[in-house]
Amino acid sequence: MKITLSLFAGLADRLGTSRITFNCSESPLTAGRLKQLLSESYPEAAALISECLVAINQEYAASDCLIAETDEIALIPPVSGG
C-alpha cells in the first residue's frame, strides 16, 4: 500500500518536506501502527512522530482506526502558542 502523508509544523521542518509517500506492506494498517512504522523509517523524527495526532480524511483518528490507501492522511504534531 502506498500512502501519501501531509506533515505539519515541527515535523515538516524536521523532515524537510510537507509531504511524503510511504510504502507499507502491512494490511490492515491502523493509525497507531503507521506512527510506529514511520518512527522506524525516520528515527531522527521518532520522538516527534510519537507525539503527533493522526488525521484521516480531515478528522482526528484514534490509534486503532484503519487506514485505506485512498485516505487523506496528515500527521499533526503538538503546537503551543501564546
Side-chain angles (χ1 to χ4, degrees), residues 2-81:
K2 185 168 27 172
I3 302 167
T4 300
L5 300 115
S6 296
L7 310 175
F8 294 93
L11 184 58
D13 292 341
R14 176 84 44 97
L15 295 180
T17 185
S18 63
R19 186 169 286 247
I20 60 171
T21 300
F22 186 73
N23 291 309
C24 178
S25 60
E26 291 192 24
S27 183
L29 178 65
T30 63
R33 182 65 180 144
L34 174 63
K35 286 173 52 174
Q36 290 174 341
L37 293 170
L38 288 168
S39 292
E40 293 169 9
S41 294
Y42 299 96
E44 70 279 13
L48 192 51
I49 291 168
S50 71
E51 298 293 322
C52 285
L53 296 174
V54 176
I56 301 174
N57 298 322
Q58 300 180 5
E59 291 188 24
Y60 289 121
S63 63
D64 62 348
C65 283
L66 294 176
I67 294 173
E69 189 169 16
T70 57
D71 287 338
E72 179 183 330
I73 309 297
L75 267 69
I76 306 164
V79 294
S80 63

